Amino acid sequence: SERAEQPEGAAGWAGRNMCAASESPSRRIETFVFLDLEATGLPPSRPKITELCLFAVARHAFENPQYDNRDSKRMPLFPRLVDKLCFCINPGKPFTPAASSITGLSNEELAWNKKQSFNIHVLHMITAFFNRQSPPICLVAHNGCGYDFPLLKVELSALGISGLDDIYCADTLKAMKALDSKNNQLHQLLYQASPLRSKKKYSLRDLYYRFYNVYPLNSHSAEGDVMTLISVFQQCAADLICWMDSNARPFNTIRAMYEENEKYTSFP
Ligand code: DCM
Ligand code: MG
Ligand code: MG
């Protein structure tokens, strides 16, 4: 059976069928593809993607972390076996000043460096990348349901692509809040205590600080944010993987951030 195939020491990992939502993957997720997008601004500005990064990490790598033996705190090492895809995209739309400032990208630099738009080659690259990963595949992004997934959907729709078949997605912001809330309930139950006053912060930067006591490097570069997210994920990998086995949803159920009916032909 599937359970019998689980690696030694994985007995504490929840089985797939214990609490699976109806549309979550019918088998445990095999590959986590961490995603971060940089773009021209926040949702009200109807942003366009400017940079996309994907790091694929096998479930096996999280279940069998390597440690630096010289480190007394036994922090897991960043996974060694990672497939990576990262590229810049000319958005064909002006950056908001804030987005340009935090990402270090600009319309001028993207044009001077001859970067292409979100064209069909993007679709070919990401589907080829997914085809090299062991399914089921789950896209993972921080605030993915609020930003990255709906924005990716907009850009794919503009290419006439309605979705990404057989790809699941999960949001670490939702997951971390859910795990903290579950632990809080457990705490109340065990100690007959009143609810813990939770002032916990859940931005990617604050989560990284919670676990590593320093702020992350390279914030607001797609690759930097993906590496930060993987480092956070490693700290709660068992719980996050269990949560995602049950709560990942098909990418095709994500609604676009906005409908691209207006044309931004006036730019540049
Ligand atoms: N963004 C923004 N202003 C912020 C935070 C983010 O305009 N204060 C936009 C631009 C970023 C994108 O969101 O490229 C993704 O954010 P992040 O770098 O956190 O992944
Ligand atoms: Mg992000
Ligand atoms: Mg980012």
Side-chain angles (χ1 to χ4, degrees), residues 136-151:
I137 297 168
C138 183
L139 275 174
V140 178
H142 198 65
N143 192 27
C145 290
Y147 193 86
D148 304 76
F149 306 145
L151 180 53

Side-chain angles (χ1 to χ4, degrees), residues 36-38 103 148 204 219-222 225-226:
D36 190 58
L37 300 177
E38 300 307 328
T103 64
D148 304 76
L204 185 57
S219 287
H220 309 301
S221 84
D225 287 341
V226 163

Side-chain angles (χ1 to χ4, degrees), residues 77-244:
L77 291 173
F78 194 86
R80 174 67 183 82
L81 275 77
V82 185
D83 291 349
K84 306 172 186 179
L85 180 65
C86 191
F87 52 94
C88 300
I89 298 166
N90 187 327
K93 174 177 185 158
F95 281 76
T96 65
S100 184
S101 162
I102 62 172
T103 64
L105 298 171
S106 67
N107 297 108
E108 293 74 18
E109 287 291 345
L110 288 165
W112 290 334
N113 287 272
K114 308 279 195 305
K115 293 303 169 190
Q116 296 183 10
S117 64
F118 193 105
N119 57 21
I120 195 70
H121 301 314
V122 174
L123 181 71
H124 292 160
M125 282 197 293
I126 64 179
T127 52
F129 187 83
F130 289 147
N131 286 340
R132 286 188 53 83
Q133 311 307 324
S134 178
I137 297 168
C138 183
L139 275 174
V140 178
H142 198 65
N143 192 27
C145 290
Y147 193 86
D148 304 76
F149 306 145
L151 180 53
L152 183 58
K153 195 76 191 268
V154 170
E155 300 276 22
L156 290 172
S157 301
L159 290 178
I161 308 301
S162 60
L164 297 169
D165 287 336
D166 303 320
I167 302 291
Y168 293 88
C169 60
D171 184 339
T172 43
L173 178 62
K174 282 190 182 177
M176 292 300 292
K177 286 182 175 173
L179 295 181
D180 279 350
S181 147
K182 202 174 123 198
N183 285 335
N184 197 341
Q185 282 169 19
L186 199 65
H187 173 91
Q188 286 174 55
L189 211 70
L190 287 174
Y191 304 104
Q192 312 265 296
S194 49
L196 293 171
R197 287 241 172 275
S198 179
K199 287 246 174 60
K200 286 188 170 166
K201 296 176 179 174
Y202 291 93
S203 74
L204 185 57
R205 192 180 144 73
D206 288 319
L207 285 170
Y208 187 90
Y209 189 87
R210 193 199 290 188
F211 296 118
Y212 294 92
N213 286 310
V214 286
Y215 285 109
L217 297 172
N218 303 323
S219 287
H220 309 301
S221 84
E223 182 176 4
D225 287 341
V226 163
M227 292 183 71
T228 300
L229 180 56
I230 291 172
S231 300
V232 166
F233 194 98
Q234 287 183 291
Q235 295 290 328
C236 323
D239 289 338
L240 284 171
I241 288 174
C242 178
W243 189 88
M244 289 181 183

Side-chain angles (χ1 to χ4, degrees), residues 10 19 22 31 51 62 76 98 100 134 244 259:
C19 50
S22 57
T31 308
E51 189 176 32
F62 290 117
S100 184
S134 178
M244 289 181 183
E259 300 301 326

